[in-house]
Amino acid sequence: MSGTLYGIGLGPGDPELMTLKAHRLIASAKVVAYPAPDTGESFARSIAAGTIPHTAREIPIVVPMRVDRFPAQEIYDKASDEIAAVLATGEDVVTLCEGDPFFYGSFMYLFDRLSDRFAIEIVPGVTSLTACAAQLQRPLTSRNDVLTVIPGPLPDTEIEQKIAEAQAVAIMKVGRHLSRLRALLGRMGLLERAGYVERASLAEQKVHRLIDLEAETAPYFSMILIYKGDEAWTLPPSFSS
Amino acid sequence: MSGTLYGIGLGPGDPELMTLKAHRLIASAKVVAYPAPDTGESFARSIAAGTIPHTAREIPIVVPMRVDRFPAQEIYDKASDEIAAVLATGEDVVTLCEGDPFFYGSFMYLFDRLSDRFAIEIVPGVTSLTACAAQLQRPLTSRNDVLTVIPGPLPDTEIEQKIAEAQAVAIMKVGRHLSRLRALLGRMGLLERAGYVERASLAEQKVHRLIDLEAETAPYFSMILIYKGDEAWTLPPSFSS
């Protein structure tokens, strides 16, 4: 009897935004896997750090940090082999995933390689999408709104068309595309309708109206939310920082 | 000093998919508000039932269940007055919300009425969107996919256009629109690419390929996810039930 591979959503960063189920599974894990950069700390591991048992075996999946990197097949082949070897012994493997495993997550690269051979259970997590809406203190969608989620690396023409057709828009992975996206939204007359959040729910989070943001670049974990409703939108006074 | 109004996302239904933060705030609540139907149990309350202190004062917000109901202004005016009276005494009010408060949630009706006068904190929750993807065991979005979330009550022409333009599609609030939506997806050649989930994460959940689903109607809490990728898609054998 093989073990089960768990893909565990950890939420946006605040360890308290982990689900009870994620907490239970991590706290009792014997083997824990997670994506890690080649230098510095794994973000996923840092969210769960207080919960991982000291006795757990850890399998870091080291993916070199590059701009707009797409994962090297080789790295995930090797990680899958290592995880498969554990599962084959009957032991479960708990994989830590930032946000939700199936929402723009790298867990899919393990899933694609292992789901034909092993039982997999996905534990959904709070996504950055609703975590950012919570911080901006503005409903993301209501009634019969259409919501479109757009990766920031896409070309301007495609982004512009998608925005024009939706009521609610989230632009993910803003990162080094910040200046270009801000210029685009300026041309579309939407700067005052756009909110910006980086590192949502963490101590170092930033929350701004996009029009007030002075930075020229943003971290990878940053998002722009656009509200196309009629009303003028202002951040609540508590977020004027 | 007034109290704080909390809008607490409870996740899709399984109480274990509540966040640690939601659990902590509910477990220490003195006043709890939640939407409730005019007959039968409140779904939001049922998710949190094991956590609400016996001593808590409860404020049910009774909204008559009608098909495609939009909330009566009067009901939320009255509920807001009742909640405002509690907040004014310095007591916090914890509002229970299915899923996430700002993702197609009714919490926005309280938020609209109270955010100019009281401090509000939103605790994001796991949405049905990623909970359904988890149950279907298929990534919702990856790499630079555009995701579009479409309410099922919208007209066919609009839904068809949105689907044509996205890589990943979620149709929410399927309910009584099931037959119409299935016919539409059939005409678009997407039946075999569509997964259907109702009551995700609850004991009575149903998970099917849409093409295998025999029902003609669906509950309000049901969703269709469409994957437009190249590969054929089948549910894992464990979900053939």
Side-chain angles (χ1 to χ4, degrees), chain A residues 183-201:
Chain A
L184 172 64
L185 294 173
R187 291 197 300 277
M188 296 183 76
L190 290 171
L191 269 191
E192 293 185 44
R193 294 261 179 275
Y196 170 87
V197 184
E198 69 180 52
R199 305 191 188 281
S201 86

Side-chain angles (χ1 to χ4, degrees), chain B residues 29-174:
Chain B
K30 298 220 173 84
V31 184
V32 175
Y34 47 82
D38 42 4
T39 56
E41 194 182 19
S42 158
F43 180 42
R45 190 190 185 286
S46 74
I47 299 172
T51 310
I52 301 171
H54 295 297
T55 50
R57 172 179 164 194
E58 300 195 18
I59 303 179
I61 303 168
V62 178
V63 181
M65 285 295 263
R66 281 186 234 112
V67 175
D68 281 345
R69 64 187 159 75
F70 274 30
Q73 299 297 319
E74 225 172 81
I75 292 166
Y76 284 100
D77 285 346
K78 194 165 154 280
S80 297
D81 288 346
E82 192 172 351
I83 290 168
V86 175
L87 295 170
T89 69
E91 198 73 81
D92 297 339
V93 176
V94 163
T95 307
L96 309 176
C97 310
E98 304 134 5
D100 180 280
F102 277 171
F103 188 73
Y104 299 103
S106 63
F107 182 74
M108 63 168 289
Y109 304 117
L110 297 179
F111 180 82
D112 284 349
R113 285 165 173 79
L114 294 166
S115 62
D116 58 341
R117 284 177 288 159
F118 297 102
I120 298 192
E121 183 175 343
I122 305 298
V123 179
V126 173
T127 64
S128 51
L129 194 62
T130 63
C132 288
Q135 296 301 335
L136 286 167
Q137 298 234 340
R138 169 108 194 192
L140 183 64
T141 52
S142 60
R143 299 184 178 94
N144 284 335
D145 286 344
V146 172
L147 166 69
T148 301
V149 183
I150 307 170
L154 292 179
D156 274 9
T157 46
E158 191 171 345
I159 294 177
E160 184 167 355
Q161 190 197 338
K162 301 289 177 201
I163 293 173
E165 290 160 356
Q167 277 88 52
V169 176
I171 306 180
M172 312 268 301
K173 309 181 189 179
V174 171

Side-chain angles (χ1 to χ4, degrees), chain A residues 210-228:
Chain A
L210 188 58
I211 202 167
D212 301 328
L213 181 69
E214 287 175 6
E216 290 303 316
T217 57
Y220 184 77
F221 287 106
S222 52
M223 190 180 298
I224 293 170
L225 295 181
I226 303 165
Y227 316 103
K228 292 173 64 191

Side-chain angles (χ1 to χ4, degrees), chain B residues 127-241:
Chain B
T127 64
S128 51
L129 194 62
T130 63
C132 288
Q135 296 301 335
L136 286 167
Q137 298 234 340
R138 169 108 194 192
L140 183 64
T141 52
S142 60
R143 299 184 178 94
N144 284 335
D145 286 344
V146 172
L147 166 69
T148 301
V149 183
I150 307 170
L154 292 179
D156 274 9
T157 46
E158 191 171 345
I159 294 177
E160 184 167 355
Q161 190 197 338
K162 301 289 177 201
I163 293 173
E165 290 160 356
Q167 277 88 52
V169 176
I171 306 180
M172 312 268 301
K173 309 181 189 179
V174 171
R176 67 191 180 85
H177 304 282
L178 176 61
S179 292
R180 177 174 63 86
L181 293 168
R182 186 161 44 190
L184 172 64
L185 295 173
R187 290 197 300 277
M188 296 183 76
L190 290 171
L191 269 192
E192 292 185 45
R193 294 259 179 277
Y196 169 87
V197 184
E198 68 180 54
R199 304 192 187 283
S201 84
L202 294 170
E204 62 270 31
Q205 84 169 5
K206 283 190 189 168
V207 179
H208 293 282
R209 297 198 310 163
L210 188 59
I211 202 167
D212 300 328
L213 181 69
E214 288 176 6
E216 290 302 318
T217 57
Y220 184 77
F221 288 105
S222 52
M223 191 180 296
I224 294 171
L225 295 180
I226 303 165
Y227 316 102
K228 291 172 66 190
D230 292 327
E231 307 151 63
W233 173 67
T234 51
L235 276 168
S238 55
F239 283 105
S240 57
S241 65

Side-chain angles (χ1 to χ4, degrees), chain A residues 3-214:
Chain A
T4 295
L5 175 62
Y6 290 92
I8 307 235
L10 299 171
D14 176 355
E16 243 204 325
L17 293 179
M18 197 184 302
T19 64
L20 299 171
K21 186 168 187 174
H23 187 268
R24 171 175 62 81
L25 289 166
I26 297 166
S28 61
K30 299 221 173 84
V31 184
V32 174
Y34 47 81
D38 42 2
T39 56
E41 193 181 21
S42 157
F43 180 41
R45 192 191 184 286
S46 74
I47 299 172
T51 310
I52 300 170
H54 296 297
T55 52
R57 172 181 164 194
E58 300 194 17
I59 304 179
I61 303 167
V62 178
V63 181
M65 285 298 263
R66 281 185 234 113
V67 175
D68 282 342
R69 63 183 162 78
F70 273 31
Q73 299 298 320
E74 225 173 84
I75 292 167
Y76 284 101
D77 286 346
K78 193 164 156 282
S80 298
D81 289 346
E82 191 172 351
I83 289 169
V86 176
L87 294 171
T89 69
E91 198 73 81
D92 297 338
V93 176
V94 163
T95 308
L96 308 176
C97 310
E98 305 136 3
D100 180 279
F102 277 171
F103 188 75
Y104 298 102
S106 63
F107 181 74
M108 63 168 288
Y109 304 118
L110 297 178
F111 180 83
D112 284 349
R113 285 164 173 80
L114 295 165
S115 61
D116 58 341
R117 286 178 288 159
F118 298 102
I120 299 192
E121 183 176 342
I122 306 297
V123 179
V126 173
T127 64
S128 52
L129 193 61
T130 63
C132 289
Q135 295 302 335
L136 286 166
Q137 297 237 339
R138 170 106 195 193
L140 183 64
T141 53
S142 61
R143 300 186 178 93
N144 284 334
D145 286 344
V146 172
L147 165 69
T148 301
V149 182
I150 307 170
L154 292 180
D156 274 10
T157 46
E158 191 171 345
I159 294 177
E160 183 167 355
Q161 191 198 336
K162 301 290 178 200
I163 292 173
E165 289 160 357
Q167 278 87 52
V169 176
I171 306 180
M172 312 269 303
K173 309 180 189 178
V174 170
R176 66 190 180 88
H177 305 281
L178 176 62
S179 292
R180 179 174 62 86
L181 293 168
R182 186 160 45 190
L184 172 64
L185 294 173
R187 291 197 300 277
M188 296 183 76
L190 290 171
L191 269 191
E192 293 185 44
R193 294 261 179 275
Y196 170 87
V197 184
E198 69 180 52
R199 305 191 188 281
S201 86
L202 294 171
E204 62 270 31
Q205 82 168 6
K206 283 191 189 168
V207 179
H208 292 282
R209 296 198 310 163
L210 188 58
I211 202 167
D212 301 328
L213 181 69
E214 287 175 6

